[in-house]
Amino acid sequence: MDKIIVEGGKRLSGTIPISGAKNAALTLIPCALLTEEPLTLRNLPRLADIDGFQHLMNQFGVTTAIQGNRPEDFGRVMTLETPRVTNTVAPYELVRKMRASILVLGPMLARMGEATVSLPGGCAIGNRPIDLHLKVLEALGADIELAQGYVKAVAPDGGLPGGDYDFPVVSVGATENALMAAVLCTGTSRLGNAAREPEIVDLCNLLVAMGAEIEGIGTSDLTIHGVRRLHGATYRVMADRIEAGSYACAAAITGGEVLLEGAKAEEMAATLHALRNIGVSCEAEKGGVRVAADGKLKAVNLSTAPYPALATDMQAQLMALLTVAEGTSVLTETIFENRYMHVPELARMGAHIETSGRTAIVHGVSGLTGAEVMATDLRASMSLVIAGLRAEGRTEVRRLYHLDRGYERLEEKLALVGAAVERVGDE
Ligand code: EPZ
């Protein structure tokens, strides 16, 4: 297992190219199941989760070809073709490694009239049930059964009729599964309290490019008029707003100035609002978002919530920044029940944080010291890198496979803006 070594204290300055969004790519790729024609996705990030999803799609008989883009470029182009689906089962050994695999349930059901997917199980940040995925597919007319750790969804003869469903809780994944099933229903479907994240908009834009009819894109009320078939498309994945927010925190904690190339301010408004309140200047400009800090950071209170509120995926990174702000910050994590595993690791670097349930109280300290720390989940591992960029001395972040799930060539991007960061094989 690799580890990253960070020598803290370097002020970041320059331009960081932002990659395609992992959480958009993971719902755009399964759309290849919805048509026999080629689907070409551009700006796909080079990430372990994308490779994993490509492998899963191959199990169903989907051919995938990577083309274009020199190795030194960020991102790549993938063309997926599904003239015939040869298998409708997503097996445990693949799903357990990547819970986003559950996103094949809706499109496979829509294309084949049936789908069998291993239950994903929990993960480090929470038990992450999929009850809403199943309830909304039932509302669209599917028959759902659970047996031996698998969920099996079957459409009535003649295909899914469609239907209405009001989500009791906003769920990104369940909204995505519902959209990918509803587009091929024989009737019209309406989704209430649907997720509105930019990644959902990206999915709707791709589905429309493939011939789907969707109203209310970008709102929490979606109406989908089913169509008989969808055609292929070529589509560019949106920029990763969480990656951009993560590098904004990295620049800010070093008192640096960085242009987040390709980032869209309007997609990360809540993060930029939080950063401005902390004392970081954030300006949209042609080609990206410019972030600059002068080293003085102020404590703020933050609460995560569904879009357009502050993304839960930004909580750990902002907490790292707040460990060295002046004053005491109160963070509330309203989405996942166990998303503070970065706290004990940050404490080993000298941070002063108390947690109780979903609340974390961050008492700003004057500085951090480097330490050997352990990544526990994707965003927690990024928060440790961010702290390491500020800490005095050397920080070693282990179990990098967490980081590689969501950050394309992180050490190269940080080195572009002057960080002293190195990736080494672990003993
Ligand atoms: C997506 O996960 C993202 N993953 C997560 O990003 C992100 O944190 C999350 O949305 C919230 O924004 C991908 O897009 C691949 P949810 P998802 O369904 O869809 C509960 C990262 O770091 N819930 O919106 O699984 C659930 O337990 C990852 O990139 C149910 O109760 O999130 C949670 O408390 C981490 N029943 C809340 O809803 C369900 O059926 C939101 O979950 C589904 C969800």
Side-chain angles (χ1 to χ4, degrees), residues 62-263:
V62 180
T63 61
T64 51
I66 307 278
Q67 73 266 55
N69 293 85
R70 297 159 304 162
E72 65 274 23
D73 290 344
F74 293 106
R76 54 191 172 164
V77 179
M78 184 187 294
T79 294
L80 303 101
E81 288 198 62
T82 321
R84 234 164 40 80
V85 172
T86 55
N87 164 32
T88 62
V89 179
Y92 174 69
E93 67 269 14
L94 293 183
V95 176
R96 72 182 174 82
K97 288 183 212 141
M98 190 184 61
R99 39 173 309 101
S101 311
I102 192 66
L103 294 175
V104 302
L105 185 60
M108 182 67 84
L109 174 65
R111 168 77 180 267
M112 299 303 288
E114 62 156 60
T116 305
V117 180
S118 165
L119 289 168
C123 82
I125 63 177
N127 77 352
R128 301 180 75 180
I130 58 160
D131 56 313
L132 299 178
H133 295 244
L134 307 184
K135 287 200 181 99
V136 68
L137 291 177
E138 276 178 333
L140 298 182
D143 182 45
I144 302 279
E145 67 173 70
L146 296 176
Q148 287 95 33
Y150 280 77
V151 54
K152 177 158 188 180
V154 180
D157 294 343
L160 283 175
D164 296 350
Y165 186 71
D166 286 305
F167 285 98
V169 170
V170 173
S171 164
V172 169
T175 300
E176 289 164 347
N177 253 330
L179 277 162
M180 292 187 281
V183 289
L184 286 181
C185 283
T186 52
T188 293
S189 305
R190 203 189 60 74
L191 303 175
N193 197 27
R196 301 170 49 194
E197 273 67 9
E199 292 75 19
I200 302 281
V201 173
D202 223 29
L203 170 62
C204 290
N205 290 340
L206 169 62
L207 291 170
V208 166
M210 293 170 72
E213 292 174 23
I214 304 174
E215 292 160 23
I217 296 176
T219 76
S220 50
D221 265 307
L222 296 170
T223 300
I224 305 101
H225 302 288
V227 294
R228 285 186 56 72
R229 61 185 297 281
L230 293 176
H231 49 73
T234 294
Y235 190 81
R236 181 180 168 81
V237 179
M238 64 177 272
D240 194 318
R241 62 192 174 103
I242 305 298
E243 184 198 25
S246 304
Y247 286 123
C249 293
I253 204 167
T254 65
E257 174 168 345
V258 165
L259 174 66
L260 305 168
E261 190 179 43

Side-chain angles (χ1 to χ4, degrees), residues 217-336:
I217 296 176
T219 76
S220 50
D221 265 307
L222 296 170
T223 300
I224 305 101
H225 302 288
V227 294
R228 285 186 56 72
R229 61 185 297 281
L230 293 176
H231 49 73
T234 294
Y235 190 81
R236 181 180 168 81
V237 179
M238 64 177 272
D240 194 318
R241 62 192 174 103
I242 305 298
E243 184 198 25
S246 304
Y247 286 123
C249 293
I253 204 167
T254 65
E257 174 168 345
V258 165
L259 174 66
L260 305 168
E261 190 179 43
K264 288 202 178 140
E266 63 274 18
E267 291 173 350
M268 47 193 297
T271 295
L272 300 183
H273 179 71
L275 287 168
R276 290 185 184 111
N277 289 344
I278 293 169
V280 182
S281 102
C282 308
E283 295 301 327
E285 61 176 63
K286 195 166 154 332
V289 176
R290 182 170 298 279
V291 169
D294 59 7
K296 274 195 296 303
L297 302 167
K298 293 190 303 268
V300 295
N301 296 335
L302 298 174
S303 178
T304 65
Y307 193 84
L310 184 65
T312 171
D313 292 350
M314 278 304 307
Q315 178 255 113
Q317 302 90 302
L318 285 161
M319 183 188 283
L321 182 58
L322 291 168
T323 62
V324 291
E326 218 167 288
T328 297
S329 305
V330 179
L331 277 72
T332 310
E333 170 55 62
T334 71
I335 305 287
F336 290 112

Side-chain angles (χ1 to χ4, degrees), residues 4 378 381-382 385 399-407 410:
I4 269 191
L378 169 55
S381 45
M382 188 59 182
V385 172
R399 292 193 179 168
L400 282 197
Y401 57 88
H402 290 294
L403 207 65
D404 292 340
R405 303 190 57 172
Y407 291 94
L410 171 115

Side-chain angles (χ1 to χ4, degrees), residues 12 14-19 74 243 247-248 250-251 258-263 413-414 416-417:
L12 301 193
T15 297
I16 296 183
I18 298 304
S19 297
F74 293 106
E243 184 198 25
Y247 286 123
V258 165
L259 174 66
L260 305 168
E261 190 179 43
K413 292 194 180 187
L414 284 173
L416 281 177
V417 288

